[in-house]
Amino acid sequence: MEFIDLAAQQRRIRADLGARIAAVLDHGHYIMGPEVAELEARLCALAGARHTISCASGTDSLLMVLMAWGIGPGDAVFMPPFTFFATAEVVAMLGATPVFVDILPDTFTMNPAALAKAVQAVRTRDARIHPLPVQARAQELRPRAVIPVDLFGQAPAYADIFAVAREHALLVLEDAAQSFGGSQGGRMHGALGCHAASASFFPAKPLGCYGDGGAILTDDDALADVLRSIRVHGKGGDKYDNVRIGLNGRLDTLQAAVLLAKLEIFEDEIRTRQTVAAWYTQALAGVPGLTPPHIAPGNVSAWAQYCLLVAGGKRDAVAAYLRAQGIPTNIYYPKPLHMLQAFASMGYQPADMPVSLASSRAILALPFHPYLQQTDVAAISARIAEAVGA
Ligand SMILES: *Cc1c(COP(=O)(O)O)cnc(C)c1O
């Protein structure tokens, strides 16, 4: 059994995939070929965004937006610590300071009330209001931006985050790496009203290519122009007229071709993901000691992962039991970011982010993809019930 079965998806689109890749081999425009523009237009239409700037990875999509905003030393950028490393890595890479804000225990997304406290704590350099990194205690940082993360496919309460952001003039960057294809209040991720949104096309994401890829979605015309420049070494009129520091941040034409083939079935896959998740939640309801994922009202998750909580310190035993039965599982995330060695110089204590810490110890991701059969879900769920009872 596969944790994510990309081969089943490939069988479904193999002919279209082959034709699209062959078209690229025929025209030979491997860099910024016509498929890139076609993909960007398709993503704008799907999400309802004015601009899509494709790029080389989800990490680059976050980095490029922060570069365009001029985020750097002396700036504080707020984010949950229960996310993939890249969300904070790009902030630190630019010399700015990540300030962690704990999550809510049911959705694992950023706690908006804690965000308000964290901004206040940075402004007053008062770690009694909210835990702060040493950098924010040593000097007064400017609160500049917040990166809420749509974890496992589900968005946080954006209305509440926007209220805090407006009050403190924070820029909002939606990390939609795991959530592209989902929605909140009928609006697609990537077009929820944030200043910009970042998507990843890493193969295991709900919309994945066959390598690395990413995109930025925004309604801001000026930001889109700067991002297109940053994507090609800070180009001005042409690529040898460099007007700012940028990156080689382009998406390969071949990856755009793969994504165009996958887009044909993407909305259908998102619908199927809802069905598979419902099978699991139904099959696992009533198993003592398990908390299936909670999707907040108004949210449609892209279901990048199906993660449940296993109570009583049994998570690792359950995972081991499943592995012995040939059922792969994963842990997202074994260490919240504030506990990683790379951020040791920030001086956080594990208990500074208690909900992230507790979640990291109890969370378990089950095999999940749109090609899972109801019989598979029933079999996996039965093994989990055995493991919990054991
Ligand atoms: C995957 C991921 C990223 C990084 O995307 P890459 O395409 O792997 O660079 C960033 N943030 C989150 C939350 C992710 O899950």
Side-chain angles (χ1 to χ4, degrees), residues 57-59 62 83-84 86-87 149 175 177-178 200 202 205 212-213 333:
S57 69
T59 303
L62 294 166
T83 176
F84 180 58
T87 315
V149 178
D175 185 339
Q178 302 180 10
S200 165
F202 181 81
K205 309 283 169 152
D212 280 302
Y333 291 91

Side-chain angles (χ1 to χ4, degrees), residues 319-356:
Y321 183 86
L322 293 175
R323 193 179 324 116
Q325 310 284 325
I327 299 169
T329 59
N330 271 315
I331 294 169
Y332 305 109
Y333 291 91
K335 274 189 191 176
L337 304 189
H338 72 292
M339 292 170 62
L340 291 174
Q341 188 186 335
F343 292 127
S345 70
M346 295 173 74
Y348 278 106
Q349 298 302 310
D352 284 344
M353 304 285 145
V355 183
S356 296

